[in-house]
Amino acid sequence: MSLFTKPAVDLFAPYDASGTPREIVPQEAQVWGTEVERSILTFQAGGGIIFPDRATMDASLAYAPNQMAWVLGDATVANNGVYRKIGASGAGSWQRLGDLPYSFIKAVDVGAGTPNAIQATTGIPVSGSALVLLNIFEANTASPVTVAFNSGDALTIKTNSGNDVAPGGVVAGMIVLGIVSGSTFRILNDQVSSAIVAAAEAAQAAAEAAKADAEAAAQDAANNSYDFVRNFHKDGTTSDDANFTTLESLVSGRVIDLQGRKYKVSAKKTGNRYVNGYFVIDNADDTATIHYPAKDTLVPLGAPINLMPNERYIGWAQGGPGTYGDEVLVKMNSGAGHEDTSQYVLTRRSGDGGASFKDYPKALFQRSDGKREMSMAVDNVDGQWLMSTFLQTVGGEELKLYGKRASEYRQWGGSSPNPQVRVTTTNGSPNIVVYDPNHGVKPGDRVRFEQASATVGGLALSGVMTVVEGGETNFTVLAGSNATADDKNIDLNVTFIEDDWAEITFSGVSLGSAIVAASALGHTMPTQVSGIAGRKNSAGDIFVTIHGGGVSGPCLVGINNIFRTGAPRAVASVARIGGLTEGLEASIDIDHATGDMFGAIRTEGGYPYRRWYLPFGQTAGNAITATGPASPFGAASPIGIRKIPGKNAVFGIMSGNRLPATVDADPVLGLYLLYMSWDDFKNPASAGFDHIYLQDLHYTDYLVQDRNGTGVPGIYVTGDGEILGILWSDQFQIGTKNEGGQPSTFLQRLYIGPEAKPHAGAAPDVSGWFGSTPVLAYWPPEDVTELNGHFNTDGSLVKRTFRRGLRLACSTTGTGVYLVTFQDADGNAVNLGHINYYVGVTTYAGAHYCSFWNQTSTGFEVRTYDAAGAAVNRQFMVDVRIDNEWSDNRD
């Protein structure tokens, strides 16, 4: 039989069992209170025991069975209550029967909390079985309001009807009566009525003010859920002009998703905010069909990077950079103009896929013999960087091939996940053979060995050794003494050392001379190498593409044994690609999963550009060629092509290549991303690439007749095939050289995602597509010494800065030639001991330009020119940033 006629949880419930609000019946409360008081008296008369906490009670078992006890004051609220002894004295346990039989518990709010987060204390623990009387210290100012008893969990205060307390609903001095119910404290008396009235009036006003907004939102929701382009063709072939006309007569100013599809139209549509799709327009650039992306279709990763700020006439990112893992090696060319003898190569390198460039622009092949040495192709094969150049002047040309092993550290065995490496020696020979199929070293490269777990043939693998021979699966270094025969697997740490570029020759002659000697087509020296590619683990067997040299059409050149010396390094084959007798530069790439080769061939002279595909094992003459769609501009730039590894997708990049009418002509070049599936690429009957418009490019104002410094783009793939990088040349800004109208090379990364699509959806860290001002590709500024100088036409000082004990000095050595050196405070020459500093230089005024040359550890040259490219004395300003990681004189 129950101790109580009716439990408190029912007696004080705000709702009955059917959910209907109910009032508290005073007579029932009186009966319940009397029963509580009687039970307490009975408990005391019967020898009841009170423990301060449950732990004390559980340790006290010397009581007879059925002994009653209370726990009062345990920090864990659920441990307080009425208990009964189970089992014999000295054994057994205590069983909880229910909550403490208090009818009311007084709680005190002394203002320890806030008006909207009340902190209250009670003399005994609160529970859902007792009413709690709580005084209010200060009026609440917001809603909802919470209360925490005895530093317990915060309970949301609810009114008797289950609503949050309105602002001002509980006021200072007010006593509320309530009961704990789950995570709420349900008060039984009303909140202040004036607060309720104010809240109701505010709600009414807000509802009336929101009526129009709600109706508009409802309309927007209907619009967003409606497929506005449901009945459009969306195939890029059949015109959707009529469909857009109808749509824009009914709906305007709305965001409309084009669903990543193509819409054939006569002009871009502007009546709504179209996103995620393409407008396909015939004859948009010459006779070319162009895909214009709507907003949020392409996904850029960051703003474009200006790779060569303040340099002179930077162009030819042609084909694309070389990549090795996350390393990206960008090559460009600088000089006074196309076919000017001042041209040389500039490189920059990124270690994070092109997201940043923290190195310094490095000048290569600066010459003073009347020849220009430029590069149009760079790649990496198994870790070996390869770069082709051509020396060219009136009446003479020469093609060269350079290489250097990328710096890399590898661990074999030990704590690394790699197995031990096999090493062999031969009795009586100093040769040590290391079996690494991905070594990528050629004779002359250097390797450092460390922490070898054993000697091999009595020889210790320690320190720096020079490679004397390579192979498909191994390389050989030369020890200082002869070995005994041995063959074992050992732990070994290997560092491939990156030295400077070294020319790769063929029986003592250059690549160009070797091609001429091997060609059965009657080649003289070809115009240039336009592409390099190599198959993995093939002892350095590579392929290059060439054109010119008295032979029409692009040619594929096979070169054997760049790494191996056991067989002669030689030009093995020279043949026209697909038998073509027209076309200029051909790009080249290799699908390493199959060994297939492919690329694109530049157009000029009225014929279309082409794509080409050569299955593995076939000769160049058997390459499958197919014309692209009508080419933009008639004469297009060289075209970089890259297949996404493991995906059915091929991307390319191209730009125009034609002359404006005047210096002030509007930009006429477009930069275009190309896209098609790999299956379609290999099928000569397919329609070819989509041309996706990116932006307009601009001609250099001071060399209007030169079409080669603008555009000539490149492309690469990184980020496990989910990121494209594109490079192109353009003016940094529009205007004269001193207003920023100076050609430079830019890089932009695009997210294509795991599906390798040019509309991949959202990606992290995305900013606006082609922002208004490209960012400069500088290095971390925290440890850089920056020196500035302004010098007159005679080299005398106008003004300069002095930092970290250094300043700049200048003297003239010839017309338009200035020697800038480093000095200390006393005017003594300073040798930095390195050349890891960046020079930016510009002329002070007028239509002139300048460049820096012959960088050494003690200084560099500045050369100034007039608008026609002739040497002339001019004032100039120079900014030098010195990387202090390489310096010994830091602050």
Side-chain angles (χ1 to χ4, degrees), residues 597-619:
M597 287 187 286
F598 57 95
I601 301 170
R602 178 185 178 186
T603 177
E604 191 166 283
Y607 49 85
Y609 79 84
R610 293 177 171 90
R611 64 184 190 273
W612 65 275
Y613 166 67
L614 182 62
F616 180 71
Q618 296 291 316
T619 60

Side-chain angles (χ1 to χ4, degrees), residues 493-808:
N493 296 345
V494 179
T495 300
F496 298 105
I497 298 173
E498 183 166 330
D499 291 314
D500 205 353
W501 295 97
E503 185 179 359
I504 299 172
T505 59
F506 300 78
S507 299
V509 302
S510 69
L511 172 61
S513 295
I515 291 173
V516 171
S519 174
L521 299 174
H523 273 96
T524 57
M525 189 63 63
T527 301
Q528 65 175 248
V529 171
S530 54
I532 302 175
R535 294 193 175 104
K536 293 181 177 179
N537 307 334
S538 60
D541 292 345
I542 68 169
F543 297 86
V544 302
T545 51
I546 62 172
H547 73 280
V551 175
S552 59
C555 292
L556 180 68
V557 178
I559 302 172
N560 291 347
N561 306 319
I562 293 295
F563 302 156
R564 184 193 292 123
T565 55
R569 180 184 295 158
V571 173
S573 61
V574 182
R576 288 187 173 96
I577 297 175
L580 292 175
T581 58
E582 58 186 19
L584 298 178
E585 295 100 318
S587 59
I588 182 174
D589 196 9
I590 291 180
D591 182 0
H592 291 290
T594 63
D596 298 345
M597 287 187 286
F598 57 95
I601 301 170
R602 178 185 178 186
T603 177
E604 191 166 283
Y607 49 85
Y609 79 84
R610 293 177 171 90
R611 64 184 190 273
W612 65 275
Y613 166 67
L614 182 62
F616 180 71
Q618 296 291 316
T619 60
N622 293 325
I624 299 169
T625 63
T627 59
S631 173
F633 335 108
S637 72
I639 304 165
I641 297 291
R642 290 293 182 268
K643 179 184 181 297
I644 308 303
K647 304 295 174 60
N648 187 27
V650 181
F651 286 86
I653 191 73
M654 69 183 302
S655 69
N657 194 20
R658 67 182 183 200
L659 302 176
T662 67
V663 172
D664 298 323
D666 291 334
V668 293
L669 291 188
L671 181 66
Y672 294 93
L673 180 69
L674 310 181
Y675 169 75
M676 68 188 303
S677 73
W678 177 235
D679 290 339
D680 284 343
F681 185 94
K682 296 183 292 184
N683 179 8
S686 65
F689 285 107
D690 292 342
H691 296 88
I692 301 172
Y693 172 82
L694 298 180
Q695 70 170 39
D696 283 333
L697 303 176
H698 311 89
Y699 280 103
T700 58
D701 286 347
Y702 63 89
L703 284 172
V704 68
Q705 290 303 310
D706 190 345
R707 60 190 180 182
N708 289 281
T710 301
V712 197
I715 190 169
Y716 68 95
V717 181
T718 187
D720 295 326
E722 296 189 12
I723 296 173
L724 283 179
I726 57 174
L727 299 98
W728 70 97
S729 298
D730 194 9
Q731 292 195 76
F732 187 19
Q733 295 174 345
I734 309 304
T736 65
K737 187 264 173 192
N738 287 313
E739 295 170 345
Q742 184 174 3
S744 192
T745 295
F746 302 87
L747 182 149
Q748 173 71 61
R749 297 187 307 147
L750 288 174
Y751 179 70
I752 58 175
E755 299 302 319
K757 299 288 187 182
H759 45 85
D765 301 325
V766 173
S767 65
W769 174 249
F770 283 84
S772 58
T773 302
V775 299
L776 301 180
Y778 279 143
W779 42 93
E782 62 270 11
D783 200 13
V784 170
T785 297
E786 183 171 0
L787 304 178
N788 307 104
H790 180 183
F791 299 98
N792 282 310
T793 56
D794 61 357
S796 60
L797 176 68
V798 177
K799 58 183 178 181
R800 64 187 171 192
T801 60
F802 179 78
R803 286 206 62 210
R804 292 186 171 181
L806 290 174
R807 67 186 185 187
L808 298 175

Side-chain angles (χ1 to χ4, degrees), residues 301-646:
L301 296 174
I305 296 174
N306 181 355
L307 290 174
M308 290 292 173
N310 296 324
E311 291 291 348
R312 175 179 66 149
Y313 196 79
I314 306 300
W316 295 274
Q318 177 174 334
T323 60
Y324 185 57
D326 288 331
E327 288 192 62
V328 178
L329 178 64
V330 178
K331 63 97 184 86
M332 295 149 286
N333 296 280
S334 179
H338 188 231
E339 299 184 354
D340 189 271
T341 58
S342 63
Q343 287 179 334
Y344 55 90
V345 180
L346 282 168
T347 64
R348 294 201 74 171
R349 185 154 55 179
S350 169
D352 54 12
S356 64
F357 287 77
K358 297 180 179 179
D359 69 332
Y360 294 82
K362 184 174 179 60
L364 305 174
F365 318 124
Q366 288 182 321
R367 306 176 67 92
S368 300
D369 57 0
K371 291 186 177 182
R372 59 192 180 112
E373 187 163 2
M374 300 178 65
S375 175
M376 298 303 177
V378 65
D379 200 4
N380 189 289
V381 178
D382 291 336
Q384 182 80 207
W385 296 111
L386 298 170
M387 178 187 292
S388 68
T389 69
F390 64 90
L391 277 72
Q392 192 175 48
T393 188
V394 177
E397 298 174 347
E398 182 69 30
L399 299 186
K400 291 178 174 288
L401 181 65
Y402 293 88
K404 65 174 179 176
R405 181 55 166 88
S407 177
E408 186 177 3
Y409 176 71
R410 292 181 183 172
Q411 291 181 283
W412 300 96
S415 60
S416 76
N418 300 319
Q420 291 184 321
V421 66
R422 179 187 171 202
V423 179
T424 65
T425 59
T426 302
N427 187 25
S429 170
N431 290 343
I432 302 175
V433 182
V434 181
Y435 286 83
D436 176 0
N438 300 306
H439 59 79
V441 292
K442 66 182 185 304
D445 290 342
R446 295 186 302 151
V447 182
R448 177 182 290 110
F449 297 111
E450 298 172 299
Q451 299 182 356
S453 60
T455 61
V456 183
L459 301 177
L461 272 75
S462 179
V464 177
M465 298 184 183
T466 300
V467 175
V468 295
E469 184 175 345
E472 293 184 10
T473 61
N474 60 73
F475 63 93
T476 302
V477 296
L478 194 65
S481 60
N482 293 336
T484 59
D486 207 345
D487 186 341
K488 65 177 63 174
N489 296 331
I490 64 172
D491 298 343
L492 183 64
N493 296 345
V494 179
T495 300
F496 298 105
I497 298 173
E498 183 166 330
D499 291 314
D500 205 353
W501 295 97
E503 185 179 359
I504 299 172
T505 59
F506 300 78
S507 299
V509 302
S510 69
L511 172 61
S513 295
I515 291 173
V516 171
S519 174
L521 299 174
H523 273 96
T524 57
M525 189 63 63
T527 301
Q528 65 175 248
V529 171
S530 54
I532 302 175
R535 294 193 175 104
K536 293 181 177 179
N537 307 334
S538 60
D541 292 345
I542 68 169
F543 297 86
V544 302
T545 51
I546 62 172
H547 73 280
V551 175
S552 59
C555 292
L556 180 68
V557 178
I559 302 172
N560 291 347
N561 306 319
I562 293 295
F563 302 156
R564 184 193 292 123
T565 55
R569 180 184 295 158
V571 173
S573 61
V574 182
R576 288 187 173 96
I577 297 175
L580 292 175
T581 58
E582 58 186 19
L584 298 178
E585 295 100 318
S587 59
I588 182 174
D589 196 9
I590 291 180
D591 182 0
H592 291 290
T594 63
D596 298 345
M597 287 187 286
F598 57 95
I601 301 170
R602 178 185 178 186
T603 177
E604 191 166 283
Y607 49 85
Y609 79 84
R610 293 177 171 90
R611 64 184 190 273
W612 65 275
Y613 166 67
L614 182 62
F616 180 71
Q618 296 291 316
T619 60
N622 293 325
I624 299 169
T625 63
T627 59
S631 173
F633 335 108
S637 72
I639 304 165
I641 297 291
R642 290 293 182 268
K643 179 184 181 297
I644 308 303

Side-chain angles (χ1 to χ4, degrees), residues 43 49-63 67-72 74 78-86 90-98 100:
F43 173 74
I49 306 165
I50 299 177
F51 290 102
D53 52 57
R54 181 168 180 173
T56 302
M57 180 185 68
D58 288 341
S60 304
L61 300 177
Y63 292 95
Q67 172 68 48
M68 184 176 292
W70 288 7
V71 174
L72 179 63
D74 196 303
N79 289 343
N80 298 289
V82 179
Y83 288 81
R84 179 177 64 183
K85 177 65 169 55
I86 303 298
S93 62
W94 294 94
Q95 180 184 29
R96 193 178 190 279
L97 301 179
L100 295 171

Side-chain angles (χ1 to χ4, degrees), residues 72-73 102 105-108 121-126 150:
L72 179 63
Y102 286 96
I105 299 174
K106 183 178 181 181
V108 179
T121 58
T122 65
I124 58 176
V126 298
N150 304 317

